[in-house]
Amino acid sequence: MAVLHPDPAAFCREMLPLTSRTFALTVPLLPSPLDEIVTTAYLLCRVVDTVEDESGSPVSDRVQLLTELAALAALPPDWRERSAAAAERARGLLGSGTPADEVRLVAGLPVVLENFTRLPRAARGLVQECLQDMAIGMADTLSRRQSALEDVDEVLAYCDVVASTVGRMLTGLFAWRSGGAAAVLPALTARADSFGRVLQLTNIIKDVRADLDANRCWLPRTVLADCGVDSPERLRDPENATRARAVLRRMIAIAHRELVDAVAYVDALPSADAADAAIRRFCTAPLLMAVLTLRKIWRGDEVFGVRPVKISRRTVAAAMLTTRVTAARPTALTTMLTALRRSLPGPLPHDAPAPPPARTRRSLGEGIEAAAARLVAAQSPTGSWHEDYGSMPMFLAQYVITCHVVGAMPDEHTRARMVHHFRVRQNPDGGWGIDIESDSMVLASTLGYTALRLLGVPADDPCARGARAFILRHGGALAAPHWAKLMLAVLGVFDWKGLYPFPPEGWLLPRGLPVHLGRLWCYPRVVFTSMSWLYARRAVVRSDDPVLRELRDELYAVPYDRIDWRKSRGTIAATDSLRPRSWLLKAAFAALSIYEARPSPKLRERAMATALDHVDHENRTSNYVGHGPIPKFLDTLVWHFADPGGDAVLAHAKRLPDYLWDSADGTRVQSFNSSETWDTSFAVQALVASGSPGAREALRSASGFLERNQRLTDVPDAERHFRQPGRGGWTLSTAEQAWSITDGTAEALKAVLALDELGLADDVTPERRLAAVEFLLATQNADGGWPAYEPNATPAWLEKLNFSDVFDNLMVDYSTVEPTASCVTALRRHLARHPDGPRAAIERAVSRGEQFIVDSQRAEGSWEGFWGVCFTYGTWFGVKGLKGSRHPGARGAVDRACEFLLAHQRPDGGWGETIEGNRNQRYVHAATSQAVMTSWALLALTDAGRATSPSARRATDFLLRAQLPDGGWQDDHLSGAMMRCAAMNYDGYQRAFPLWALSAVADSEGASS
């Protein structure tokens, strides 16, 4: 057959710009003869791609034609006749929507093949291999594919067929043309697939709308399902905009992963001579344009619009110019590409190999039953779940110091166990952190060292030596925060002149002033009251203990009698300055220093009496349990100096052991006297969700505990002592502690309502449930959210007077998402169970709460957790609070939350964070997935209606793999948090939440079957 064009090479050069935008710009950059080889190869690949893309034709016809094109790549003896026939058949398949230039190219297939025969033999072999792999791979994909590919692996396999084949071909051609490229061929080959994949993934992403309009989709079903999109066509629906964006995020994250390796591919190319530099420019340009395209897509929503997504001609020109400047400069190139991709969603991690099935791997039903049995076995005789709730060594240190001052040191065995805890939890640098997972701080280390010495550990003990070395390296006790200095001052190993003034006269200010102590959040209120009394008294223990004299020498880098105490007031170690001192705080300290130089004796006496009255009221109403460990210890010290040996001191000393917990790592001090009601409420809800028949008696016993620990009265003389009504509420621990909390009440009420459905909550009568509702209604903040304890009466700017140096969000009882969601869901459930209640008030409170939840969502879709680590915790509460909501923004908020969670799921199916996320207010991955955080994320997905999504299935599989033989789970990281600085241990979380999550999945699967 005669050649249809007098000059095949000219025909190829003519067709290149007519059928390609990017290649027409980049191929001329290549050195000869690569430019002609790549032009011919591209046109042949384009013919194959055009046939595959023609969705209007029968699949069988296209598969047959693709197989023929693969055979033609081998140039059989009759290739001219067969190529002409194939071109004719291909033209018959092309629809009216096919661009005219592509039709002309397909018709010119024999001409392109003619030019192909004139290429060097070695180059022709590389092109032939590429064409055959591509055509056969496309035929296979067409034969198996329906409307979408199944998962990410199938999409990547498709990209390998379409584009990685080209990447490998180009790599071989570069090595054939360039000795420098041949020398680094192994490094290039290892990344060639990614170079092709990222370009094809970019095409898939930017052409989503055009593909949908042509009745095809290259997005994986699993990603669509994860993001709540039940069919590709729904991506075009405006109401699915958030879910479509979640799909977009995931696809860009996958492309970003390949982009990282593609940049390394270009970086590995040599640039020794002009030909090598030309090859680098050829590879850099499409990569740069792909990054710019992905950025444009991510910054807007055009990818799902009618108009195709394209970077402008001006941007293309700038990219080409940039390529010429940077391609031959490796450092400049990689720096530029790295900077550009920072604005993209983070790269999706490579999937880890599937872990081998654990010996204890159970089915979903078996896992639920084993977990329920383990949780039931952990119940205490009182009907509660009384779990470990301690994680802060400084609490143990303050306990020991308090006991030493009041003469109530524990027995020898307990002291030995306390020393063991300090030894086990000491960091390698010799210090202790704010919690058992955190880096060392002077605060905890100074108090810890002091406690060790008071417990009888000699100064030359290795543990004590290491701690003292850390303290002195960081400025000694002079560099500790105020909280540590005050305890040391009471011991007489720190001069009171070294503390900033904190007089109790704040209690004598007019009640309406925002700086009145009574207006603070209740926790700092009770702490600062005791601190101010001790400061005004300049309380110092009378003791001839030689250890105290030795501590004066051991805690400081300079002799004790030569310390300038006033100058040391502003000293704070960098390790402890988590909350920098504000200018307002410094100004306040300066003003108080002027007053403290000559305080009024009468005012001081009156102020101390008022402060002592508030301490006494809190102690009596809390049955000397206290508001937590720090208030408990400070109040004990106050009474030791106010009434040595008196009834209050004895009452406090009797309740001090309530805070002790003995565990494998020794005796520690709890972060509260217990978290019994809190843990019991979650355990009940988890067991009810499980439906386990073996849990009924445990639930009956738990019902009795909740009934006995609901507060049925308010504290006496509440208004004068700035106490809010607490009747009807539950505390974190037990009723005798007397500080009702909002979320604890809400979760206990939900547990009671769940028990009532099983006929197990008769003792918590409807009247008592209504009292709980009234407590919740009375504690809602003006912004619609709920605080932890009391409606906030403190302006936000007062946080600038926070002088803790360590704790954040200390002064104000802010509304946060967790108690808000707990209260909203509790009120909804109560109304559903008791529709004759105060409906209007409840609906109004719920509506305001939902608005707060919607408004407090972060831009990326998460909610920040305040009492847990961190974003999986907060996001679960946010989704839970909006489940079933009629708020117009609820659906979009939940979809954004799911998008956030999907973006942070690990390859093994789990989630995991650390306390650093709380401190830095951003998601910080733990080294491994954690069962508790995975459970929170899985519960959120389930509440969002995505329990059967592939992402939820992977999370379920992770929990079942991680389940221990005894039915429980064990995480490496603490999951509770406090004031954005300290991680808290809730040991019960590892038994309750995974069970709850698995049960929720099982319930959803049952409902959908």
Side-chain angles (χ1 to χ4, degrees):
M1 178 177 289
V3 175
L4 301 178
H5 194 283
D7 187 346
F11 176 78
C12 290
R13 288 193 295 273
E14 178 187 353
M15 292 306 302
L16 180 63
L18 298 177
T19 55
S20 167
R21 185 183 184 193
T22 301
F23 269 88
L25 293 171
T26 57
V27 169
L29 300 175
L30 287 169
S32 180
L34 281 182
D35 53 353
E36 183 178 357
I37 295 171
V38 172
T39 295
T40 305
Y42 166 77
L43 294 175
L44 290 171
C45 290
R46 187 56 188 265
V47 171
V48 172
D49 188 59
T50 300
V51 170
E52 190 256 1
D53 269 352
E54 189 45 60
S55 57
S57 300
V59 169
S60 58
D61 289 351
R62 284 184 284 157
V63 168
Q64 186 178 9
L65 188 52
L66 286 170
T67 305
E68 176 66 3
L69 291 174
L72 286 172
L75 294 176
D78 58 347
W79 69 265
R80 288 184 173 84
E81 293 79 4
R82 290 173 61 178
S83 66
E88 192 62 32
R89 285 166 51 201
R91 287 186 63 187
L93 292 178
L94 300 182
S96 59
T98 306
D101 290 322
E102 291 187 21
V103 174
R104 182 183 172 199
L105 173 62
V106 170
L109 173 63
V111 183
V112 180
L113 282 174
E114 181 70 39
N115 201 52
F116 178 56
T117 64
R118 302 177 183 184
L119 301 183
R121 182 180 295 276
R124 196 167 64 230
L126 293 168
V127 176
Q128 174 187 324
E129 183 178 356
C130 170
L131 285 169
Q132 290 178 330
D133 288 347
M134 180 183 292
I136 293 171
M138 285 182 174
D140 182 61
T141 301
L142 278 175
S143 299
R144 292 184 294 105
R145 182 172 65 87
Q146 299 300 316
S147 60
L149 299 174
E150 181 60 30
D151 53 28
V152 172
D153 287 341
E154 281 200 12
V155 172
L156 294 179
Y158 171 72
C159 291
D160 284 343
V161 166
V162 176
S164 295
T165 50
V166 177
R168 294 190 292 270
M169 175 193 73
L170 290 172
T171 302
L173 290 173
F174 297 157
W176 169 75
R177 174 63 174 77
S178 163
V184 294
L185 184 59
L188 294 174
T189 302
R191 300 176 176 92
D193 287 357
S194 290
F195 179 75
R197 283 191 205 120
V198 70
L199 300 180
Q200 183 59 28
L201 284 168
T202 301
N203 288 335
I204 288 174
I205 294 168
K206 77 179 181 65
D207 293 338
V208 166
R209 180 58 188 257
D211 285 334
L212 290 174
D213 291 343
N215 196 32
R216 58 178 176 255
C217 180
W218 303 109
L219 303 178
R221 292 179 186 274
T222 55
V223 169
L224 294 173
D226 269 349
C227 300
V229 180
D230 52 18
S231 68
E233 293 74 19
R234 297 295 301 278
L235 290 169
R236 292 175 288 194
D237 294 349
E239 66 177 16
N240 277 328
T242 301
R243 298 181 181 193
R245 188 164 176 81
V247 173
L248 189 62
R249 174 189 284 274
R250 180 72 73 89
M251 294 306 299
I252 293 178
I254 296 168
H256 195 169
R257 179 179 68 191
E258 303 300 330
L259 177 61
V260 173
D261 285 341
V263 172
Y265 175 88
V266 175
D267 197 39
L269 288 166
S271 57
D273 56 29
D276 288 341
I279 291 172
R280 282 179 65 94
R281 284 194 292 271
F282 168 81
C283 293
T284 300
L287 203 57
L288 178 55
M289 284 187 270
V291 175
L292 293 172
T293 301
L294 292 174
R295 276 165 51 97
K296 179 179 176 64
I297 292 170
W298 183 238
R299 288 176 172 178
D301 57 1
E302 300 94 332
V303 70
F304 302 111
V306 176
R307 299 178 61 185
V309 176
K310 290 184 179 180
I311 55 176
S312 67
R313 293 186 180 276
R314 180 177 297 179
T315 302
V316 171
M320 295 302 295
L321 178 61
T322 303
T323 296
R324 289 186 177 276
V325 174
T326 62
R329 297 176 174 84
T331 302
L333 174 64
T334 54
T335 300
M336 176 193 65
L337 290 173
T338 300
L340 285 173
R341 63 186 181 84
R342 284 198 187 108
S343 61
L344 299 176
L348 196 71
H350 285 284
D351 286 342
R359 285 183 297 173
T360 58
R361 170 63 192 271
R362 302 171 169 99
S363 68
L364 180 58
E366 292 169 341
I368 290 171
E369 280 303 314
R374 178 68 184 90
L375 184 56
V376 167
Q379 189 177 31
S380 74
T382 65
S384 74
W385 274 265
H386 192 174
E387 308 279 5
D388 182 14
Y389 181 47
S391 64
M392 300 178 70
M394 80 170 195
F395 288 165
L396 175 58
Q398 289 172 294
Y399 184 98
V400 171
I401 293 170
T402 300
C403 289
H404 178 86
V405 171
V406 304
M409 289 293 281
D411 60 65
E412 183 178 351
H413 172 76
T414 302
R415 293 199 303 272
R417 295 290 292 158
M418 289 174 170
V419 171
H420 178 69
H421 180 71
F422 280 120
R423 293 188 191 279
V424 169
R425 292 304 182 180
Q426 188 174 31
N427 287 332
D429 60 8
W432 292 273
I434 189 71
D435 57 62
I436 58 177
E437 287 188 8
S438 295
D439 293 338
S440 299
M441 300 174 65
V442 175
L443 167 64
S445 301
T446 300
L447 293 174
Y449 177 82
T450 302
L452 277 177
R453 299 287 282 115
L454 295 176
L455 288 168
V457 176
D460 62 353
D461 180 272
C463 179
R465 283 204 315 268
R468 181 167 180 256
F470 173 84
I471 295 165
L472 296 181
R473 281 199 309 272
H474 292 85
L478 295 177
H482 185 280
W483 305 66
K485 291 175 179 176
L486 183 140
M487 297 297 288
L488 298 179
V490 170
L491 276 177
V493 298
F494 194 96
D495 196 298
W496 281 101
K497 293 192 294 290
L499 278 82
Y500 281 116
F502 194 73
E505 279 82 341
W507 277 111
L508 303 182
L509 296 170
R511 291 172 70 103
L513 286 181
V515 292
H516 190 286
L517 289 180
R519 294 172 63 91
L520 296 179
W521 176 26
C522 59
Y523 187 82
R525 184 169 76 229
V526 297
V527 169
F528 294 168
T529 299
S530 299
M531 281 185 171
S532 69
W533 193 95
L534 292 168
Y535 174 82
R537 179 67 177 265
R538 305 298 197 272
V540 179
V541 64
R542 294 182 180 179
S543 174
D544 57 357
D545 189 335
V547 172
L548 297 182
R549 293 195 298 272
E550 293 166 5
L551 282 169
R552 288 187 170 197
D553 294 329
E554 295 163 6
L555 291 173
Y556 306 95
V558 295
Y560 189 82
D561 57 3
R562 289 167 55 183
I563 294 174
D564 185 340
W565 294 104
R566 289 189 179 277
K567 186 177 180 180
S568 72
R569 288 178 174 179
T571 304
I572 180 72
T575 55
D576 293 47
S577 186
L578 303 182
R579 170 82 191 193
R581 297 167 182 172
S582 70
W583 66 268
L584 184 61
L585 177 63
K586 294 175 183 177
F589 279 146
L592 290 173
S593 296
I594 295 173
Y595 171 77
E596 196 62 26
R598 289 189 177 182
S600 166
K602 290 185 178 181
L603 284 178
R604 177 56 52 90
E605 182 180 356
R606 183 180 160 204
M608 290 184 69
T610 302
L612 191 61
D613 173 62
H614 283 284
V615 172
D616 179 52
H617 181 269
E618 199 283 320
N619 295 166
R620 286 185 292 104
T621 55
S622 71
N623 299 287
Y624 293 90
V625 172
H627 199 317
I630 294 178
K632 168 70 174 175
F633 306 150
L634 292 175
D635 290 355
T636 305
L637 293 174
V638 165
W639 285 112
H640 172 76
F641 292 103
D643 185 19
D647 291 343
V649 178
L650 296 177
H652 268 297
K654 184 179 179 180
R655 303 305 300 258
L656 277 170
D658 290 6
Y659 283 85
L660 296 183
W661 185 276
D662 195 68
S663 58
D665 63 352
T667 296
R668 60 173 72 169
V669 166
Q670 301 290 278
S671 302
F672 222 67
N673 65 313
S674 80
S675 57
E676 283 179 82
T677 297
W678 183 250
D679 289 329
T680 301
S681 299
F682 285 133
V684 165
Q685 292 179 76
L687 285 173
V688 170
S690 75
S692 174
R696 189 169 182 85
E697 287 308 310
L699 291 172
R700 188 186 305 278
S701 181
S703 179
F705 172 84
L706 292 173
E707 181 271 327
R708 293 190 302 274
N709 284 281
Q710 186 181 18
R711 291 186 58 208
L712 301 180
T713 60
D714 288 321
V715 298
D717 203 11
E719 184 177 357
R720 186 166 70 87
H721 292 94
F722 295 87
R723 291 292 297 273
Q724 294 293 322
R727 177 182 175 275
W730 278 269
T731 72
L732 185 73
S733 56
T734 56
E736 64 177 349
Q737 192 263 349
W739 284 93
S740 297
I741 59 174
T742 58
D743 50 356
T745 297
E747 296 300 337
L749 178 58
K750 287 192 288 183
V752 166
L753 293 170
L755 290 166
D756 186 52
E757 293 181 358
L758 300 177
L760 298 175
D762 291 343
D763 290 335
V764 186
T765 63
E767 291 74 22
R768 290 177 59 164
R769 298 172 207 168
L770 180 59
V773 168
E774 290 171 344
F775 169 75
L776 296 180
L777 293 176
T779 49
Q780 189 172 24
N781 271 337
D783 61 8
W786 269 267
Y789 284 92
E790 303 169 335
N792 178 44
T794 311
W797 62 262
L798 207 65
E799 192 67 48
K800 295 184 181 297
L801 294 179
N802 179 353
F803 64 92
S804 69
D805 294 314
V806 175
F807 303 109
D808 201 3
N809 286 17
L810 177 65
M811 310 291 281
V812 180
D813 203 354
Y814 298 96
S815 297
T816 53
V817 68
E818 304 105 297
T820 301
S822 291
C823 294
V824 164
T825 51
L827 291 172
R828 279 204 210 104
R829 293 185 190 179
H830 180 272
L831 193 58
R833 191 73 176 163
H834 301 284
D836 55 341
R839 174 178 293 274
I842 291 175
E843 289 179 344
R844 185 166 55 252
V846 166
S847 177
R848 294 174 59 222
E850 291 172 347
Q851 186 65 55
F852 174 84
I853 294 172
V854 169
D855 291 344
S856 61
Q857 187 177 31
R858 290 161 53 114
E860 81 280 13
S862 73
W863 282 272
E864 179 184 356
F866 188 76
W867 298 104
V869 180
C870 171
F871 293 98
T872 42
Y873 186 67
T875 300
W876 170 48
F877 276 95
V879 171
K880 178 172 67 168
L882 295 178
K883 181 182 180 182
S885 169
R886 293 194 298 268
H887 188 285
R891 172 172 172 170
V894 169
D895 285 346
R896 288 191 296 275
C898 293
E899 178 184 350
F900 171 83
L901 291 172
L902 295 177
H904 291 86
Q905 188 174 25
R906 301 172 67 90
D908 64 4
W911 283 261
E913 299 180 72
T914 74
I915 188 63
E916 290 303 316
N918 299 69
R919 294 171 184 157
N920 298 305
Q921 295 179 269
R922 60 180 177 82
Y923 196 103
V924 176
H925 285 280
T928 57
S929 294
Q930 307 293 296
V932 171
M933 293 156 196
T934 299
S935 301
W936 291 334
L938 181 54
L939 282 165
L941 292 175
T942 303
D943 284 338
R946 303 190 189 186
T948 58
S949 69
S951 180
R953 291 187 186 280
R954 291 195 300 274
T956 301
D957 190 59
F958 168 81
L959 289 177
L960 292 172
R961 288 198 313 270
Q963 192 172 26
L964 300 174
D966 67 359
W969 285 263
Q970 185 63 50
D971 281 340
D972 300 322
H973 291 282
L974 304 179
S975 52
M978 180 182 74
M979 299 174 188
R980 279 194 185 147
C981 69
M984 311 293 289
N985 181 49
Y986 288 90
D987 205 40
Y989 282 9
Q990 297 177 85
R991 286 181 278 278
F993 284 116
L995 169 61
W996 196 349
L998 292 176
S999 300
V1001 168
D1003 183 64
S1004 295
E1005 289 184 349
S1008 63
S1009 61

